[in-house]
Amino acid sequence: MADEKTIRFGLLGSFSYSQDKSVKAGRKALSLLQYLVVNHGRSISSEELFEKFWAENTSIAPGTALRRMMHTVRSLLDEMFPGMEKLLITLPGCYVWNPDICLELDTEAFEAACLEAGRTSGEEKCDRLLRAVSLYKGDFLSGNDSEWALVLRQYYQTLYLDACKAALPILYQKEQWMKLLDLCVQAYGVDFATEEFTLYQMRALIALGQPERAVRQYEMFRDKLMQEYEIMPSGQAEQLCALASGLRKKNLAEQDVFKLVCEEQEGEMAFFCTFDVFQKIVTLERRHIRRSGRSSSLVVVSLGKKAIPVTDARRLERILLERLRAGDPVARLEADSYILMLTGAGMEDARLVMGRIDSDFHRVYRHSKADLTYRIASLQSE
């Protein structure tokens, strides 16, 4: 087919045509045009358009509204493609695109590339996946919040994320760190909560000798995950962070190692750690209990249903770190609870400590609606 009989539309990202030209139109007219473009391969009935665009509008007859809007859409097409007449044809009860015109959509090319990648393996699969990913310029019709567009937006976003996730282990195995980093950064922007993108980004940064950036990436991911969903990263992410933190110190001179260790243990606050580290500390304490016979207690502290999750959690964390003894380990258990170990404290001593924590919390944060509750368990030896 001759090139002048082919028109191209971009639907991934902002709506565009030809050489990335933008379209200026009213919101509803633009949405109708986009719907017609997306469904260009079939006839579209008037009833379908009534349901999609005028189902909730009773102020005007749908037939009249549709005719007026189609006139606007045709005027738009005349402006966009001067000299190309009768792009949209009216048939009894439906609308179709002129069969002499070929429409090319970036969504169709993207979908086809994803399907082709799924039928290959190895290096060819990786190349096809990267080709598919490169076609994704942004979320489907990013400026259109109509229900029909949201459904397709989710579909193409899922295709994109699946393609990214399929490419990551291949790039990692081939040690193509820069390509892997670029892919992770782009995918993170689409869905930051998919932990795979952060994990692979951290691995690539560690492999490139940039552990500081890996730690910062983990911290950014952790903070955003807590803020948006009130959950913590997985133990795998914590372990990578611990590895990166350790690598930052690998070039220390031997005479500085003991000094560094002692400095990192200094401080008057309790010891805040990840849950994995907390478990290891508890394991060591159980061994000490077996040898010494002393008592220690585990405590789970919760904020209650009326608390403001992020705000009151930070408040509770601050009180725990400031009021407990230096070295008492504390870890976050869930969005609204913490677990801590009171070394050398029996059940009664633990109750007294938690009574003071509760009193201090409500004295410092008088307006908080948090209702602190705690459960105490005696730590038994192995």
Side-chain angles (χ1 to χ4, degrees):
M1 185 173 290
D3 186 64
E4 63 268 22
K5 295 294 184 178
T6 299
I7 58 179
R8 299 174 178 84
F9 287 100
L11 307 178
L12 294 173
S14 300
F15 183 57
S16 62
Y17 66 100
S18 298
Q19 300 298 321
D20 294 327
K21 296 178 181 178
S22 59
V23 183
K24 295 182 180 180
R27 188 173 179 179
K28 197 159 193 172
L30 185 58
S31 183
L32 177 58
L33 171 59
Q34 292 166 348
Y35 188 83
L36 294 168
V37 169
V38 170
N39 295 282
H40 69 94
R42 62 182 179 86
S43 61
I44 306 169
S45 69
S46 299
E47 288 75 12
E48 179 181 340
L49 297 177
F50 295 157
E51 182 180 345
K52 294 291 183 182
F53 294 93
W54 288 277
E56 299 177 358
N57 190 342
T58 59
S59 62
I60 187 171
T64 302
L66 177 57
R67 286 192 295 273
R68 291 177 180 173
M69 196 61 71
M70 286 301 298
H71 176 75
T72 302
V73 167
R74 286 193 170 96
S75 297
L76 279 174
L77 289 171
D78 289 341
E79 293 177 12
M80 295 161 61
F81 306 102
M84 298 183 73
E85 299 180 356
K86 296 183 179 179
L87 291 177
L88 279 173
I89 299 174
T90 302
L91 297 179
C94 68
Y95 299 90
V96 297
W97 286 87
N98 189 328
D100 294 331
I101 303 297
C102 176
L103 270 68
E104 293 184 355
L105 313 185
D106 60 349
T107 49
E108 294 173 346
F110 169 68
E111 187 174 18
C114 289
L115 293 174
E116 288 173 5
R119 292 191 289 265
T120 58
S121 60
E123 189 165 346
E124 183 183 0
K125 182 182 183 71
C126 185
D127 291 341
R128 290 184 180 273
L129 286 169
L130 294 179
R131 162 65 180 160
V133 166
S134 70
L135 295 174
Y136 193 87
K137 303 301 183 183
D139 288 340
F140 176 80
L141 295 177
S142 57
N144 189 337
D145 292 330
S146 302
E147 184 177 350
W148 71 267
L150 294 177
V151 173
L152 287 173
R153 185 173 303 157
Q154 183 62 48
Y155 169 70
Y156 289 114
Q157 190 179 90
T158 300
L159 270 186
Y160 169 75
L161 294 173
D162 286 346
C164 290
K165 286 186 279 190
L168 289 176
I170 302 175
L171 291 173
Y172 181 80
Q173 187 177 15
K174 296 170 66 176
E175 298 185 1
Q176 294 187 0
W177 307 125
M178 297 309 298
K179 285 186 178 181
L180 193 150
L181 276 178
D182 289 341
L183 187 64
C184 287
V185 169
Q186 293 168 15
Y188 184 92
V190 175
D191 181 17
F192 84 90
T194 299
E195 192 173 85
E196 287 175 71
F197 303 134
T198 292
L199 293 178
Y200 274 100
Q201 189 172 0
M202 293 175 68
R203 292 184 185 118
L205 290 169
I206 290 171
L208 289 168
Q210 301 178 36
E212 297 87 355
R213 286 184 59 192
V215 172
R216 288 198 299 271
Q217 180 61 35
Y218 168 81
E219 292 171 345
M220 182 175 67
F221 174 64
R222 177 199 61 198
D223 293 346
K224 195 167 183 179
L225 203 61
M226 270 302 305
Q227 183 178 7
E228 295 291 333
Y229 300 108
E230 298 177 8
I231 59 176
M232 291 291 285
S234 70
Q236 191 175 8
E238 292 179 348
Q239 290 169 4
L240 275 175
C241 181
L243 172 62
S245 297
L247 289 173
R248 288 190 299 182
K249 308 177 182 70
K250 70 176 183 179
N251 294 322
L252 290 171
E254 291 183 7
Q255 62 268 27
D256 294 328
V257 172
F258 292 122
K259 179 181 179 182
L260 174 65
V261 171
C262 292
E263 285 177 350
E264 292 198 347
Q265 294 302 318
E266 290 180 357
E268 298 180 357
M269 294 198 301
F271 178 64
F272 186 77
C273 57
T274 65
F275 185 74
D276 283 352
V277 172
F278 184 88
Q279 287 180 303
K280 292 177 175 62
I281 294 173
V282 170
T283 299
L284 288 173
E285 179 61 15
R286 291 175 68 191
R287 295 177 183 177
H288 291 319
I289 290 173
R290 184 177 59 188
R291 294 197 300 267
S292 65
R294 69 181 183 182
S295 298
S296 292
S297 298
L298 293 176
V299 184
V300 173
V301 193
S302 301
L303 288 162
K305 295 182 179 179
K306 295 183 179 180
I308 302 173
V310 175
T311 301
D312 283 321
R314 290 174 178 169
R315 291 168 172 174
L316 176 57
E317 183 177 310
R318 178 180 177 183
I319 292 296
L320 290 173
L321 295 180
E322 291 181 351
R323 301 302 194 268
L324 295 176
R325 294 169 301 179
D328 281 345
V330 179
R332 191 151 198 163
L333 192 59
E334 294 179 340
D336 63 346
S337 62
Y338 289 80
I339 186 168
L340 54 110
M341 183 173 70
L342 300 175
T343 308
M347 296 284 284
E348 187 57 35
D349 289 337
R351 291 190 186 94
L352 293 173
V353 170
M354 297 315 299
R356 291 197 296 269
I357 293 292
D358 184 62
S359 176
D360 288 346
F361 180 90
H362 288 290
R363 177 175 54 80
V364 176
Y365 304 108
R366 294 190 300 274
H367 301 296
S368 173
K369 295 182 180 180
D371 181 19
L372 299 190
T373 58
Y374 55 87
R375 291 170 288 161
I376 303 174
S378 179
L379 187 61
Q380 304 295 324
S381 63
E382 291 184 321

